[in-house]
Amino acid sequence: MTQPQDLTWLLSNLVNQVPHTRSALLLSTDAIPRFYYGLDRDEADKLASLASPLCSLVQEVGKCFGGRQGMRQANAELDDGTILAITAASAGSILTVLADSKVNAGVLSYEMQQLGKKVPNSLATPSRHSTPEES
């Protein structure tokens, strides 16, 4: 199995192209930081451990009340005005961005969706459990 290329440059482009965006993190759905920009390693680990269950929660809300399993994006505004945006990237990957309150949320959302389409499926974390169909 070949290792995927370093995608930090994609995250860097997102942060630098969307004004008032501070950092971006690409993580696996089981909270493993894969690539990050604008964060140190400890911050990336902490943000990954918080973003992964939040993404799962939003997906469950979608199943229960939206009729579908997918998630486009979840956004939260923190007390200090920081914007937290989370979106599913490729299968098994999550894109998380932190931005200032002055960010244009529509532009950020669009750019996150575009970046998500560029993330290779090779980043997906393999399932740890076999499904009934595999048995």
Side-chain angles (χ1 to χ4, degrees):
M1 180 174 174
T2 62
Q3 290 290 351
Q5 66 181 9
D6 184 352
L7 301 179
T8 304
W9 68 274
L10 282 174
L11 303 177
S12 170
N13 285 349
L14 173 69
V15 170
N16 292 317
Q17 287 177 355
V18 180
H20 307 289
T21 303
R22 297 191 323 224
S23 59
L25 167 67
L26 187 63
L27 61 137
S28 64
T29 53
D30 58 351
I32 298 171
R34 302 299 297 265
F35 305 103
Y36 50 92
Y37 180 81
L39 301 164
D40 63 32
R41 180 64 190 192
D42 288 340
E43 292 170 328
D45 284 339
K46 186 178 286 186
L47 185 56
S49 70
L50 297 168
S52 177
L54 183 56
C55 183
S56 294
L57 175 67
V58 172
Q59 287 176 333
E60 286 301 313
V61 170
K63 286 179 191 177
C64 294
F65 301 102
R68 297 196 176 186
Q69 292 180 320
M71 177 188 91
R72 287 191 188 171
Q73 192 168 41
N75 297 313
E77 184 176 359
L78 310 179
D79 280 344
D80 68 351
T82 298
I83 303 297
L84 168 69
I86 301 173
T87 189
S90 65
S93 298
I94 300 167
L95 175 61
T96 302
V97 172
L98 292 172
D100 297 329
S101 61
K102 294 179 182 179
V103 72
N104 181 322
V107 171
L108 178 60
S109 177
Y110 174 79
E111 292 298 334
M112 288 178 71
Q113 293 294 324
Q114 295 305 305
L115 189 149
K117 293 175 184 175
K118 296 176 185 174
V119 174
N121 285 330
S122 61
L123 289 180
T125 303
S127 175
R128 295 182 190 165
H129 305 286
S130 62
T131 60
E133 295 85 32
E134 294 174 336
S135 299

